[in-house]
Amino acid sequence: MGRRGENIRKRADGRWEARVVCGTPVEGRTHYKFLYGRTYQEAKNRKKEYYLAMENGMLNEGVSAANRTVTGMTTADQTAGGSAIPASAQPTAGQQTAARQPPSESSRGPAQQPPQPVYFQEAIQGWLQYKKGNVKESSFAYYTLMVRNHLLPDLGEKPIQEITLPLLTDYYKAKKTSGRVKDGRPMKDKTVADLKAITRQILTWASLNGLLEGVPVCPVVSVRRTPTGVLTREEQNRLEAQLLQEDNPFSLGIWLTLYGGPRVGEVCALKWEDIDFQNGIVQIKKTVNRIADVESGAPAGTKLIVSSPKTECSIRSIPLPEPILQYLKDRRKPGPRYILTGTLHFMEPRACLSRLGRLLERAGVAPHTWHSLRHTFATRCIESGVDVKSLSEIMGHSDVKITMQRYVHPSMDTKKSQVNKLSCSLKPKDTKEQKIQ
């Protein structure tokens, strides 16, 4: 790992290696030599000696293959940590005194410009341009927002060689403590993990495009997941009673989520033509999202988009129970109308969440998110014996592990019923007889 952006690193054999520019660029490519020392300071001093000797014309740097690779040192010299400058080029005492004085223009060799540092912001901008044509618009907007709010102002002006493991470790710790832009409050673990993943992608892109040698190791960011609430059976019964009482287009979306599990954006994008009443399925093909309007240049602008769902697995067909299918069939509207509004205009997710909150309050149910309805559907399916693979496909997951770890929350009644299935040699009458004795 390099130190302080000076192209000096510790090798596996214990020696320190300093990289220096070798001669002038050939065919647009810069070539390097490697100088060695037993300590970091020794390697740094040899690097200074090398550039001093080059400046005073004491090195004759060519562009041969030998000059492009190592240092001109013998293997014995490297092992012993000897000087990187050939003996013939070592300055005498008189030359050392003269070297302390600024060289005259006539004695100065070809001007050697030190390598210009590559700043992290250059890699960030290059990575964003690469991502723009390779990810969904919503993903690109999220990446841009994270870069503008955090990486560019915090790390953008640092040389990319300084983006090291210690720096990133301290950076993510600071973000967890007071990383939110608006109020300086602690940043959520998930957001810090996203920031780490984006940083890793940028560094990998920089390495592949020649801006960085190797990819620094990124620190591990732990994510503590807060369990999403699940409606109890009593709460679900009260909610369903309220839905039957109100019986409006919005309530249809709640029924669909409680018995089909689509996401809130997917429900907002559903039209009546997406329901195949003959086969009893609903097609999930679109989703509504509010994303940052990064193209307009407004600092806090957003816009609504209708796009393909979250992943390829999210494009799916959901089978509906017969009672729900019949309930929807009796209330369907003609033409390409949206289910939640009954009109040609969709309802946006934020309005959907607000209406859900008021509906739960009228039903006497504790506050829950739309995702809680989705979790409730998955939990009820497991309690009813639905196999995990089928449930995973209905939910639109790419892996059954996601379904089990994040969406299935067995109730205590279910746990008790499962435990009671265990066979035991003790009988109820045996325990009673023991109490009498």
Side-chain angles (χ1 to χ4, degrees):
M1 183 67 66
R3 287 182 56 176
R4 295 193 286 274
E6 295 182 323
N7 286 335
I8 302 175
R9 69 182 186 94
K10 191 171 186 179
R11 293 165 50 95
D13 59 10
R15 292 180 298 160
W16 286 88
E17 176 188 278
R19 187 180 73 167
V20 297
V21 176
C22 172
T24 56
V26 178
E27 298 178 354
R29 296 179 59 188
T30 302
H31 302 289
Y32 302 94
K33 281 189 175 184
F34 300 95
L35 315 177
Y36 302 93
R38 294 187 183 88
T39 65
Y40 170 81
Q41 191 60 44
E42 188 176 353
K44 185 175 181 180
N45 291 340
R46 287 192 177 134
K47 183 176 180 181
K48 289 182 179 179
E49 291 172 1
Y50 179 91
Y51 281 125
L52 182 62
M54 179 182 291
E55 185 178 14
N56 286 277
M58 290 182 289
L59 291 180
N60 182 20
E61 293 295 347
V63 294
S64 64
N67 279 340
R68 285 193 216 116
T69 54
V70 199
T71 61
M73 297 170 60
T74 64
T75 305
D77 289 336
Q78 294 178 12
T79 305
S83 174
I85 304 176
S88 59
Q90 291 283 359
T92 65
Q95 288 173 328
Q96 288 178 355
T97 303
R100 295 191 186 100
Q101 304 298 325
S104 63
E105 291 298 326
S106 58
S107 64
R108 191 186 301 272
Q112 285 293 327
Q113 296 295 330
Q116 294 298 319
V118 177
Y119 293 97
F120 193 42
Q121 59 189 0
E122 299 176 40
I124 291 174
Q125 298 296 350
W127 175 79
L128 274 180
Q129 287 300 316
Y130 163 74
K131 279 292 183 182
K132 187 172 183 179
N134 292 280
V135 296
K136 290 178 58 178
E137 184 179 4
S138 56
S139 298
F140 179 74
Y142 181 67
Y143 294 154
T144 305
L145 211 59
M146 292 288 280
V147 161
R148 287 180 182 176
N149 291 341
H150 302 286
L151 293 180
L152 278 176
D154 297 339
L155 304 176
E157 295 184 0
K158 289 185 176 295
I160 196 169
Q161 296 288 349
E162 294 185 13
I163 309 299
T164 59
L165 177 60
L167 182 143
L168 292 176
T169 300
D170 293 339
Y171 179 62
Y172 297 141
K173 285 181 180 177
K175 284 296 180 181
K176 277 194 173 185
T177 304
S178 56
R180 289 181 55 170
V181 175
K182 292 183 179 179
D183 50 19
R185 294 173 59 189
M187 182 181 282
K188 293 182 179 179
D189 288 352
K190 176 62 169 61
T191 310
V192 177
D194 289 346
L195 194 62
K196 177 241 179 178
I198 291 172
T199 306
R200 174 74 180 180
Q201 288 192 43
I202 294 171
L203 292 174
T204 302
W205 181 90
S207 178
L208 293 174
N209 286 271
L211 303 182
L212 178 66
E213 288 190 2
V215 181
V217 178
C218 289
V220 176
V221 177
S222 59
V223 179
R224 295 168 294 179
R225 296 190 179 277
T226 303
T228 302
V230 175
L231 274 67
T232 64
R233 289 189 178 274
E234 182 181 353
E235 287 178 328
Q236 186 171 349
N237 290 336
R238 288 204 298 268
L239 175 58
E240 291 181 4
Q242 187 68 28
L243 292 175
L244 290 172
Q245 180 181 338
E246 297 190 5
D247 193 14
N248 54 40
F250 177 73
S251 66
L252 300 179
I254 307 294
W255 286 112
L256 279 168
T257 307
L258 285 174
Y259 290 92
R263 302 175 179 91
V264 60
E266 295 169 347
V267 174
C268 291
L270 275 179
K271 297 181 178 181
W272 284 106
E273 61 189 21
D274 295 324
I275 300 180
D276 184 351
F277 288 101
Q278 183 175 355
N279 295 308
I281 59 175
V282 56
Q283 301 282 348
I284 303 297
K285 299 180 291 185
K286 297 289 184 182
T287 186
V288 177
N289 285 320
R290 179 174 287 278
I291 66 172
D293 189 4
V294 295
E295 300 295 338
S296 67
T302 61
K303 63 180 180 180
L304 284 167
I305 62 169
V306 180
S307 61
S308 58
K310 189 175 181 180
T311 63
E312 289 185 8
C313 295
S314 297
I315 302 174
R316 62 199 187 278
S317 299
I318 299 176
L320 295 175
E322 186 60 37
I324 299 296
L325 193 65
Q326 187 60 47
Y327 188 81
L328 292 169
K329 189 174 184 179
D330 294 340
R331 289 158 180 77
R332 63 179 169 179
K333 303 289 184 181
R337 298 171 182 265
Y338 288 94
I339 293 176
L340 281 188
T341 62
T343 68
L344 299 178
H345 303 283
F346 58 80
M347 182 182 297
E348 71 160 297
R350 288 196 301 193
C352 205
L353 296 175
S354 298
R355 291 194 61 171
L356 173 63
R358 295 193 294 269
L359 174 64
L360 292 173
E361 185 177 356
R362 292 193 298 271
V365 177
H368 285 280
T369 65
W370 198 281
H371 229 57
S372 296
L373 307 182
R374 179 171 159 84
H375 281 227
T376 300
F377 164 73
T379 302
R380 297 291 176 264
C381 284
I382 292 295
E383 292 173 353
S384 302
V386 177
D387 70 274
V388 179
K389 178 60 177 175
S390 297
L391 176 59
S392 180
E393 293 182 1
I394 292 172
M395 298 287 286
H397 295 153
S398 58
D399 194 333
V400 294
K401 292 180 181 179
I402 300 175
T403 310
M404 293 301 298
Q405 293 174 358
R406 301 184 185 178
Y407 291 84
V408 180
H409 310 278
S411 65
M412 183 54 67
D413 291 338
T414 303
K415 294 174 183 177
K416 287 180 178 179
S417 66
Q418 296 297 321
V419 170
N420 286 329
K421 292 180 181 179
L422 297 174
S423 60
C424 182
S425 58
L426 288 175
K427 304 298 181 183
K429 64 178 183 178
D430 295 335
T431 57
K432 291 180 180 179
E433 290 175 0
Q434 290 176 4
K435 289 181 180 179
I436 294 174
Q437 294 175 0

